[in-house]
Amino acid sequence: MTSTTPMRLSHTRIRAIVRKELRDYRRNRFVTSSMGVMPLLFVVLPIIDIFKLGSGASGPKLDNVIGLALLYLLLIPALVPAVVAAYSVVGEREQGTLEPVLTTPVRREEFLLGKALAAFLPTLAIAYLMFGIFLAVVGLFAHQEVVTDVFKTSRILPQVLFTPLLAGWSIWAGIAISSRVSDVRVAQQLGTLVSLPPLAVTSLMGFGVIRPTVGLGLVLGAALLVIDIGAWRVVSMLFDRERMISGIKA
Amino acid sequence: MSEIGTSTPVPSSAPAVEVDGLTKRFGARTAFEDVSFAVQYGEVFGFLGPNGAGKTTTVRTLGTLLEPTSGRATVAGLELRPDNGVEIRRRIAVMPEAPGLYLRLSVAENLEFFAGLYELDDRRARIERALRAVNLTDRADELCRTLSKGLRQRVGLARALLSDPRVLFLDEPTSGLDPVAAREVHDLIETLRSRGVTIFLTTHRLAEAERLCDRVAIMNTTLRLIGSPAELRDRLFSKSVELRVREPLPDPERVLGALPGVESWSAGPDAAGTYLLAVADPDQAASAVARAVVDAGADLLALTPSRHSLEDVYLQLIDTDVEASSR
């Protein structure tokens, strides 16, 4: 049963969900390893590739390696939250905690927003931290031509801009899948799969197929933002308490 | 600090739960149909029925998790409508059959989470109060995964008590518990009843319902019977007295047939010298029967009013349903 009265979201309830989720994640080995090991891989591999470049690497090769490195780093906000978000609803169903939660005054929008924020905040922190580590290592130890290329605005801006937006997409896609399937592993596999398409555009920019300009970055960023907000609304509408509890659509 | 169940003012006249012709269908399958009853504030109301009778679906519907297909209901003073969902859930608490705890969180962390969902003030005090009510104060910091099933059930109850609900729905609260743990839950329900908490108790355990409930309803997709356990016994079974004498009476009709208060008699099924007497009032009839048997020169061994339990009522009713459905 859902409310049709004008919606007033409760910050208290959303905060309660975020805090609970973060506590739960910290004690869940699968989540901590996904959030810890996967990002490390995605930062170590590009650093190795960059250091393999000789001092006289040609322009196209330099472009390719740096583009690939930055793509690796964008896999962090795309893949890390997908795993967690895919667990969010179906995981609650599997452990029998969904019903007690849904019998409280929490609205579905609050429930889903709390879940999304709990996946978003650590993802953002980890992704920016990894990017910071990458920049620091490159800035300190790479050849000058690599440093100059990596530190261009057109390289850094998409990274900074798209990290939260890609995470947002992955999270909503993961939660949508998590709300519709009945098995955690299926949810995680599908969640990972659907988190990848937005990477196509950013990787085209990273590889220079689409000329990355500040304007284009902002337009794509705005588009992703609209998609993310829309996804929250769509996922909320699709979240059917009755189906969640009984397994049968109302 | 007030105790659990005493801080929420409740209206005195309107029922806590009022259901009128409520029906829930899942496609072609009917979970329950045309169910009507009312539960008063402060009452412990038992909801009985075999598996698949629609008990849990009724609780979920009244708890706003499922939308009724037809019919009307009022829960904690609010009409059961989609736009009242949040407010109804604020006024009630539901404890499902499985307590559904976050096993990686401690007892206190579980309760803190739910206190946040209810937007409760003075959370720490409320959590302490709820834990004290279920005797779990010393377990507050333990992870739920380390608790036994009985203790988890008590945490579930503490969680349900956090918000001082006007109506507390308990779905099989003693399911899977050992007798000691079940008794602890019974004691807690009795304590809550003594404090005026309205409890809607779904259970398979008939002795539990008989002990705890002011009234019970027996469901089997439709509502079959409703009343206090004593009323249900009276409705389904005639009152009787069982008489045992050492030797069979030579002419039982002469001794028993004309006694005041004895409506009819029959020979007992199990042993010679046993008679079953249908009576209007067992206490009055017993003394007349005793005198008549002694006057007739028989050795009186026992004279006991027949006691029918709620289980007898339940089985009688469900057997009737089974017979009817097999015809």
Side-chain angles (χ1 to χ4, degrees):
Chain A
M1 190 173 282
T2 55
S3 172
T4 55
T5 49
M7 189 172 43
R8 185 187 60 81
L9 295 180
S10 158
H11 294 184
T12 309
R13 289 198 282 261
I14 294 170
R15 204 165 39 238
I17 294 168
V18 172
R19 184 178 295 178
K20 186 276 292 177
E21 289 287 296
L22 293 179
R23 272 180 176 150
D24 208 20
Y25 291 162
R26 277 207 312 268
R27 295 168 196 170
N28 184 334
R29 274 190 209 150
F30 176 73
V31 171
T32 47
S33 59
S34 298
M35 286 195 151
V37 176
M38 203 192 290
L40 275 179
L41 279 177
F42 290 140
V43 79
V44 168
L45 292 174
I47 286 174
I48 291 172
D49 283 345
I50 283 198
F51 280 94
K52 275 189 195 163
L53 282 172
S55 58
S58 65
K61 190 177 180 190
L62 194 67
D63 257 0
N64 256 348
V65 171
I66 292 174
L68 195 62
L70 295 175
L71 181 62
Y72 266 120
L73 287 164
L74 281 179
L75 282 172
I76 296 172
L79 294 181
V80 168
V83 175
V84 178
Y87 177 81
S88 60
V89 179
V90 69
E92 295 251 13
R93 278 175 81 179
E94 278 199 354
Q95 60 182 341
T97 48
L98 189 61
E99 186 169 346
V101 169
L102 294 183
T103 57
T104 69
V106 72
R107 293 171 194 274
R108 58 186 175 176
E109 291 84 358
E110 294 162 347
F111 176 72
L112 295 171
L113 202 54
K115 289 275 181 189
L117 278 173
F120 183 75
L121 296 174
T123 299
L124 208 60
I126 291 168
Y128 281 147
L129 176 69
M130 293 301 139
F131 187 48
I133 291 171
F134 173 80
L135 290 180
V137 171
V138 168
L140 287 172
F141 305 111
H143 297 297
Q144 189 52 48
E145 56 268 35
V146 175
V147 175
T148 309
D149 198 315
V150 166
F151 279 82
K152 278 197 285 195
T153 308
S154 58
R155 293 277 194 206
I156 290 179
L157 182 74
Q159 212 69 26
V160 173
L161 195 66
F162 290 132
T163 291
L165 298 172
L166 285 173
W169 165 260
S170 292
I171 288 166
W172 287 122
I175 291 177
I177 288 164
S178 191
S179 305
R180 309 299 288 185
V181 302
S182 54
D183 183 86
V184 171
R185 279 168 300 181
V186 172
Q188 286 171 336
Q189 285 158 6
L190 288 175
T192 306
L193 208 63
V194 298
S195 66
L196 295 175
L199 271 178
V201 179
T202 52
S203 54
L204 289 176
M205 287 174 73
F207 288 117
V209 178
I210 299 174
R211 186 164 179 76
T213 62
V214 173
L216 180 62
L218 290 175
V219 168
L220 286 175
L224 260 177
L225 185 65
V226 170
I227 289 171
D228 285 351
I229 293 170
W232 171 43
R233 295 293 190 185
V234 170
V235 173
S236 296
M237 281 192 322
L238 292 176
F239 187 86
D240 177 2
R241 272 175 201 265
E242 180 144 343
R243 203 181 56 77
M244 291 291 140
I245 298 301
S246 65
I248 301 168
K249 195 178 180 320
Chain B
M1 191 191 298
S2 63
E3 287 303 320
I4 292 288
T6 58
S7 63
T8 307
V10 292
S12 54
S13 56
V17 178
E18 192 168 22
V19 174
D20 181 17
L22 209 64
T23 297
K24 178 64 189 173
R25 292 197 182 88
F26 296 104
R29 187 174 72 80
T30 302
F32 60 83
E33 188 168 31
D34 198 21
V35 172
S36 302
F37 60 84
V39 180
Q40 300 304 320
Y41 279 107
E43 189 176 14
V44 178
F45 186 78
F47 213 50
L48 314 178
N51 290 333
K55 304 184 301 290
T56 297
T57 307
T58 306
V59 169
R60 285 173 171 172
T61 305
L62 296 175
T64 78
L65 286 174
L66 307 176
E67 235 172 299
T69 308
S70 62
R72 295 161 60 88
T74 308
V75 181
L78 291 169
E79 200 177 326
L80 189 69
R81 289 198 316 249
D83 55 335
N84 279 339
V86 172
E87 192 50 40
I88 288 174
R89 293 197 295 274
R90 203 190 300 277
R91 296 182 184 191
I92 65 169
V94 182
M95 191 180 109
E97 185 174 345
L101 303 173
Y102 294 96
L103 300 181
R104 284 184 286 266
L105 301 191
S106 72
V107 171
E109 286 167 346
N110 266 278
L111 298 187
E112 192 186 317
F113 170 50
F114 279 84
L117 294 183
Y118 280 99
E119 296 184 290
L120 299 177
D121 296 326
D122 59 339
R123 284 181 210 168
R124 188 167 297 182
R126 278 176 180 268
I127 290 169
E128 273 177 28
R129 194 153 46 107
L131 287 174
R132 208 168 44 240
V134 297
N135 289 326
L136 276 180
T137 314
D138 55 337
R139 306 280 191 135
D141 296 324
E142 290 185 24
L143 294 183
C144 285
R145 69 166 170 233
T146 64
L147 302 179
S148 66
K149 194 169 181 183
L151 290 178
R152 286 180 192 180
Q153 207 75 355
R154 277 157 64 180
V155 179
L157 267 171
R159 182 183 64 201
L161 296 172
L162 265 182
S163 59
D164 280 331
R166 295 188 191 178
V167 185
L168 179 57
F169 291 89
L170 302 177
D171 192 359
E172 304 281 357
T174 55
S175 169
L177 297 188
D178 64 51
V180 175
R183 201 169 74 177
E184 286 173 358
V185 173
H186 292 165
D187 291 345
L188 178 63
I189 292 172
E190 285 191 331
T191 307
L192 293 172
R193 175 168 63 179
S194 69
R195 292 178 187 161
V197 178
T198 310
I199 297 174
F200 191 100
L201 174 70
T202 300
T203 182
H204 272 115
R205 296 190 179 196
L206 300 163
E208 176 174 284
E210 186 144 32
R211 174 182 162 184
L212 298 171
C213 298
D214 301 308
R215 287 189 307 141
V216 296
I218 300 180
M219 276 277 283
N220 201 2
T221 307
T222 55
L223 192 68
R224 300 286 286 107
L225 213 54
I226 186 167
S228 71
E231 283 169 357
L232 299 191
R233 278 194 294 267
D234 290 350
R235 223 180 291 174
L236 281 193
F237 297 101
S238 57
K239 290 174 184 166
S240 60
V241 170
E242 187 182 279
L243 166 69
R244 279 178 58 217
V245 289
R246 189 175 301 281
E247 298 292 333
L249 296 169
D251 186 359
E253 175 57 29
R254 187 183 59 80
V255 179
L256 305 173
L259 285 175
V262 175
E263 291 162 357
S264 63
W265 68 272
S266 61
D270 301 330
T274 303
Y275 302 91
L276 283 176
L277 288 70
V279 297
D281 181 340
D283 293 335
Q284 274 189 359
S287 55
V289 171
R291 273 195 303 273
V293 168
V294 172
D295 289 349
D299 289 338
L300 179 62
L301 296 180
L303 189 57
T304 47
S306 295
R307 298 263 177 229
H308 288 287
S309 66
L310 188 57
E311 186 169 353
D312 297 326
V313 173
Y314 177 88
L315 292 176
Q316 168 88 359
L317 208 61
I318 300 305
D319 284 350
T320 309
D321 282 357
V322 171
E323 279 171 25
S325 65
S326 64
R327 269 183 221 131

